[in-house]
Amino acid sequence: MSEKDDGKVRLDKWLWAARFYKTRALAKAAIEGGKVHCRGERCKPSKEPKVGDELVIRAGFDERTVVIQALSAVRRGAPQAQELYRETAESIVRREQAAAQRKAGALGVQTDGRPTKKQRRQLQQFHGGQGD
């Protein structure tokens, strides 16, 4: 594999190598979709990250703030991939709090299940429809 590794690597390739995304295509789509911010700004997949850059990566419910520790264009095992970045302490606290809230059900609406026949009639009457 002839790779010209002169310290330059694309952002989508680095995100893939650091195991934030399973494929480079997913990493590219996330960057283009505005889910990755570098130094507080949206960026392009071809951006060349530098050691010390701060990235905000949003995936699902989680938002991580990481600082780049090393550059790599090669995808290796998870222990080596975790050495490429360091997550900030504030980011870890925020993610844990959000996970605890989700687990407690604070973000979702809890109901008693499906409405009964009587409750459905009341809803239809409230909305002004006869309902077939």
Side-chain angles (χ1 to χ4, degrees), residues 6-7 21 24-25 28 46-47 64 66 79 86 94 96-97 117 123 130:
D6 51 354
Y21 298 98
R24 272 187 69 188
K28 181 180 179 209
S46 61
K47 177 176 179 24
R64 296 174 180 242
V66 298
R86 174 183 51 83
R94 264 186 309 191
E96 288 173 352
Q97 287 175 346
K117 191 172 183 179
L123 280 170
Q130 290 294 327

Side-chain angles (χ1 to χ4, degrees), residues 59-73:
F61 292 113
D62 293 333
E63 184 175 285
R64 296 174 180 242
T65 304
V66 298
V67 178
I68 297 176
Q69 300 284 12
L71 298 176
S72 175

Side-chain angles (χ1 to χ4, degrees), residues 64-121:
R64 296 174 180 242
T65 304
V66 298
V67 178
I68 297 176
Q69 300 284 12
L71 298 176
S72 175
V74 182
R75 186 174 171 109
R76 294 201 171 94
Q80 291 87 13
Q82 289 176 346
E83 294 173 1
L84 298 178
Y85 63 91
R86 174 183 51 83
E87 188 172 3
T88 62
E90 305 89 45
S91 173
I92 294 170
V93 170
R94 264 186 309 191
R95 276 191 316 112
E96 288 173 352
Q97 287 175 346
Q101 283 182 338
R102 281 196 307 272
K103 191 172 183 180
L107 298 178
V109 177
Q110 301 254 332
T111 63
D112 294 331
R114 292 181 58 186
T116 63
K117 191 172 183 179
K118 181 179 180 183
Q119 290 170 334
R120 276 197 299 275
R121 283 194 206 114

Side-chain angles (χ1 to χ4, degrees), residues 3-80:
E3 191 161 338
K4 54 178 175 72
D5 191 23
D6 51 354
K8 294 184 178 181
V9 64
R10 292 170 50 107
L11 181 59
D12 59 345
K13 200 168 196 177
W14 184 87
L15 288 168
W16 167 76
R19 295 184 165 262
F20 285 105
Y21 298 98
K22 286 186 177 186
T23 64
R24 272 187 69 188
L26 288 174
K28 181 180 179 209
I31 295 168
E32 290 173 345
K35 296 189 182 339
V36 178
H37 291 249
C38 184
R39 291 186 232 128
E41 298 178 354
R42 283 182 72 161
C43 48
K44 294 182 177 180
S46 61
K47 177 176 179 24
E48 294 177 356
K50 298 177 184 68
V51 173
D53 280 357
E54 186 173 277
L55 299 176
V56 177
I57 304 165
R58 210 172 61 239
F61 292 113
D62 293 333
E63 184 175 285
R64 296 174 180 242
T65 304
V66 298
V67 178
I68 297 176
Q69 300 284 12
L71 298 176
S72 175
V74 182
R75 186 174 171 109
R76 294 201 171 94
Q80 291 87 13

